[in-house]
Structure formats: C-alpha cells, structure tokens
Amino acid sequence: MNTAKIAYRPVGLALGAASGLAAGMVFKQAWKLMGHQDDAPDAMDESRSWREILIAAAIQGAVFAAVKAAVDRAGATGVRRLTGTWPA
C-alpha cells in the first residue's frame, strides 16, 4: 500500500461523513422545492401513502449516491493533484 492510499483513508472517511450531511441537506431542499411538506415521509408514518414514501426514498437514495460520488471523486482528484498518484 503506497503512502497516498494510507494518507487518503482518514480524508476519505471525513469526506464520506461530510457527503452524508450534504446529501441530507440537498434532499431536504429538493423535497421542499417539489412542493411537498417540510419533512420527507418516514417509512413508519401511517398517514403517508406507499407511493409518497417510496418516491421520497428513491429520491433520497439518488441524491445521496450522486453527492457521495461527487465528493469521493473530488477528493481523489485532489489527492492526485497533490501527490501525483490516485488514492484508490
């Protein structure tokens, strides 16, 4: 394992946590912009329909995956610029 990979591990963990927080904020704003209530439905919310719960879950998953991929890619690109090697 090279130095760049070892050095990137804590950075990758921190970026992963930050991307989760960012994805949550992006999803909340997207949910509001789509004209829904302030909070996305919880799977155990009896007053919400199956359709609304499943749509919210699908959108949340897509937003999370896109934000995580963007943050991971940006972090790896930054490491390559600094060290000259790809961290993965």
Side-chain angles (χ1 to χ4, degrees):
M1 196 178 268
N2 67 29
T3 306
K5 288 181 182 180
I6 294 170
Y8 183 71
R9 285 194 175 198
V11 173
L13 289 172
L15 288 174
S19 69
L21 293 173
M25 291 187 302
V26 169
F27 172 69
K28 283 183 181 185
Q29 290 303 313
W31 189 254
K32 287 179 187 177
L33 288 173
M34 289 186 294
H36 297 283
Q37 298 169 348
D38 286 344
D39 292 329
D42 181 75
M44 299 300 288
D45 189 347
E46 188 177 16
S47 66
R48 305 285 183 99
S49 70
W50 274 86
R51 179 182 171 149
E52 186 177 17
I53 289 170
L54 294 178
I55 288 171
I59 293 168
Q60 186 175 24
V63 167
F64 179 80
V67 169
K68 181 164 179 12
V71 169
D72 286 348
R73 184 69 179 203
T77 302
V79 168
R80 184 179 61 194
R81 285 186 187 144
L82 290 173
T83 66
T85 60
W86 195 257

